[in-house]
Amino acid sequence: MKYICLGYYDEKRWEMLSESERNAWMDECFAYDDVLRKNGHFAGGEALQGAQNATTLRWNNGKVSITDGPFAETREQLGGILILEADDLNHAIQLMSKHPGVRNGPFEIRPAADLTEMVRASEQRRSARK
Amino acid sequence: MNNNATGPTSEMVEALYRAESRRVLATLIRLLGDFELAEEALHDAFRAALEQWPRDGMPANPRAWLVSAGRFKAIDGIRRRARFEAIDENAAQAIAAPDDPATWGNEDIEDDRLRLMFTCCHPALPPDAQVALTLREVCGLTTEEIARAFLTAPATLAQRIVRAKTRIRDARIPYEVPSPDALPDRLESVLRVIYLVFNEGYSASSGATLTRPDISGEAIRLGRLLIELLPEPEAMGLLALMLLQESRRAARASPTGDLILLDEQDRSLWNREQIAEGLALAERALASRRFGPYTLQAAIAAVHANAPEAAATDWSRIVWLYDLLVQVVPSSVVELNRAVAVAMRDGPEAGLALIDALLARGDLADYHLAHSARADLCRRLGRNTEARASYQRALALVQQEPERRFLERRLTGLKN
């Protein structure tokens, strides 16, 4: 089963770290990502650029409005996502508890939703309309 | 099956239901992989037993019969639905795996009960849902009984339980006893749930009565079940703590339901059997040297239990135990209790200084017991104006009726 892990981090705390501290932490994170890859648990993932480069789209009065900045103004920002292949929730918790990223901000673990049925139903509706 | 003997009466089957239904359910959840399906199967199995046993006689191993019957009923159900919903046969095949329940040892079934406990108390479930689910699935209370115990609307409670079960299925929370490296953390959440249940019964957080003995009784039953399945020191410590607290129930309230404090209780009303069992468990937990906060609290309760009269209480030992407890669980409430113990050992002045420092820090400002403890020390020092102000502050914050009456009596006592 796939679990999407949203990794948050505190931008202010990150800025206070020295370069060597940042490097040491990044090295640990990447090394653990490699462990996950090697064991077949890393099903994908991307780091995100800073929240200052975020754009938010919203549906507003019948059209899309574009605003600068992240959707939620919180102290902790979404720093990256990791798609994890795990047997069940306990396995996912066990794998992500060892990820060094958790020491710099929380991980939110969300089971991937299986939309196969919804996609199939939607395809039927759309082809019926043709 | 025994065909010639006279079968059991329906009362006997019902008694068996009370004794066995949670065990059978725990195993059916593992076999069927789904709480709802297992509950349906459990009821189908007992319905079949009520029909067949009085007629054909009681099977040699009723528990295994029930598990087996429940499983076949569930497979039938899945096959019937599959015809309409085009679900493949795999689901039915998977749970029809050929192992004969009659050959299982008791250990497998006991493991299932432990799996059920850990799953109901999984930290990925909201705390109130953990409590509700444990009382429903492990203790077998009805939704209405749980709702009454927690003064919640039955519909709200039913929804909480349904959501928790959906979450177990959709997030795929496994039905297992945690691995040894995860066990300490996971055990903590099981213990917390049991203690929450106990406290709701021991000191109802609101409402007309001081205690709800039935709910405390369930918590003690859960505690016994847990140490029977997993004799960890903190689990023993928690059971010891609950038994020692519970032993004072009859002495804690007057016939009119008013609160009686520890130093004024009639100690001959304390339940000696519960005290003896609690003391023995607390000793075993302490001897393990792997104990935690529950064992320390049990050790404190044990000092009180060992004192033949209030004046003979070993307050130095209590202060020492609180010192340890503050280190294990740094909390303002623990520090408040420590301050009260210091007042008993060194005099009210010393305790008051500690409580004032705690209140100045701000985190206990809305806690009625902090103000009533302060009021009590001021009263003993003859500072009646200060005592009055603190009793009034406590009265403004208190939620429970007998506690409110107690504070009012103290306040009236000051004026005379």
Side-chain angles (χ1 to χ4, degrees), chain B residues 232-246:
Chain B
E232 281 290 307
E234 267 294 85
M236 288 182 212
L238 174 61
L239 180 58
L241 174 62
M242 293 192 295
L243 286 165
L244 291 169
Q245 308 269 56
E246 185 68 14

Side-chain angles (χ1 to χ4, degrees), chain B residues 164-226:
Chain B
K165 287 181 193 163
T166 309
R167 187 143 179 190
I168 289 171
R169 193 184 57 226
D170 293 350
R172 204 181 286 178
I173 292 178
Y175 195 58
E176 65 181 18
V177 176
S179 56
D181 59 323
L183 191 68
D185 282 347
R186 294 288 308 280
L187 181 63
E188 209 175 285
S189 91
V190 173
L191 297 175
R192 207 199 53 244
V193 166
I194 298 176
Y195 198 42
L196 272 174
V197 172
F198 179 79
N199 272 329
E200 193 54 37
Y202 185 70
S203 176
S205 54
S206 56
T209 55
L210 192 62
T211 63
R212 300 199 194 98
D214 43 346
I215 284 292
S216 305
E218 285 302 331
I220 289 175
R221 257 180 31 153
L222 279 169
R224 283 193 207 284
L225 176 63
L226 184 62

